[in-house]
Amino acid sequence: MSNPILFNTTYEEEIYSFPQPTTVVLNSKWTALSEAEIQLLGKILSSVKLSLAAVRIVEAQKLDLSEWTDKPGNLIGFGVTISGVNLYEVITTPQTQLVLADALLILLDDDDKKKRLWVGLKQLFFPPQGS
């Protein structure tokens, strides 16, 4: 190649480093969700400028990130628990920020819990810029 500097700056390793997508953890099987639950999840994701196609969906009853090899940057859990973690609060670990909420079925009819989730999601996805 006639210009090795151009080659080295064009093909750096960081180009091939892709962050993990936002992960959604559900406490039930995807196929068991009602149409209303799927629509609610879609609305929740669109509120933070995501779509169902842009997230990774995982089914689990309990959440133990220490067992995961690929840690997501952001995680939203519905109906899953982590010992010592309060629902609707943003939790920050070295690799992941997460918010846990009640199951989608519970959120369907509870506007107060939806509002609490929105507060947590705003902190997770739209943190204040500078102080």
Side-chain angles (χ1 to χ4, degrees):
M1 172 165 231
S2 61
N3 189 341
I5 294 172
L6 178 60
F7 181 82
N8 288 338
T9 58
T10 303
Y11 297 103
E12 293 179 355
E13 283 185 35
E14 289 75 34
I15 293 174
Y16 302 104
S17 175
F18 297 103
Q20 290 293 325
T22 294
T23 298
V24 173
V25 181
L26 303 173
N27 70 334
S28 63
K29 294 196 174 291
W30 177 258
T31 55
L33 293 180
S34 69
E35 186 62 33
E37 289 171 292
I38 293 171
Q39 287 178 355
L40 175 61
L41 179 57
K43 288 177 184 178
I44 290 168
L45 293 174
S46 70
S47 73
V48 292
K49 304 189 184 328
L50 293 173
S51 68
L52 287 170
V55 299
R56 175 173 59 171
I57 307 253
V58 176
E59 299 163 356
Q61 292 298 312
K62 292 190 178 203
L63 191 58
D64 186 353
L65 287 174
S66 68
E67 296 177 356
W68 293 29
T69 54
D70 294 329
K71 308 248 189 309
N74 291 326
L75 183 144
I76 309 167
F78 295 98
V80 294
T81 60
I82 299 178
S83 179
V85 173
N86 295 325
L87 297 181
Y88 307 105
E89 291 181 12
V90 175
I91 303 299
T92 301
T93 71
Q95 293 116 350
T96 304
Q97 285 195 298
L98 60 105
V99 170
L100 300 181
D102 287 293
L104 290 168
L105 186 61
I106 293 170
L107 289 172
L108 275 173
D109 297 319
D110 194 324
D111 288 339
D112 182 54
K113 289 182 179 180
K114 287 180 199 173
K115 289 175 187 174
R116 291 177 61 199
L117 175 58
W118 174 236
V119 170
L121 291 174
K122 285 193 300 187
Q123 292 173 356
L124 183 64
F125 289 95
F126 310 114
Q129 301 296 318
S131 20

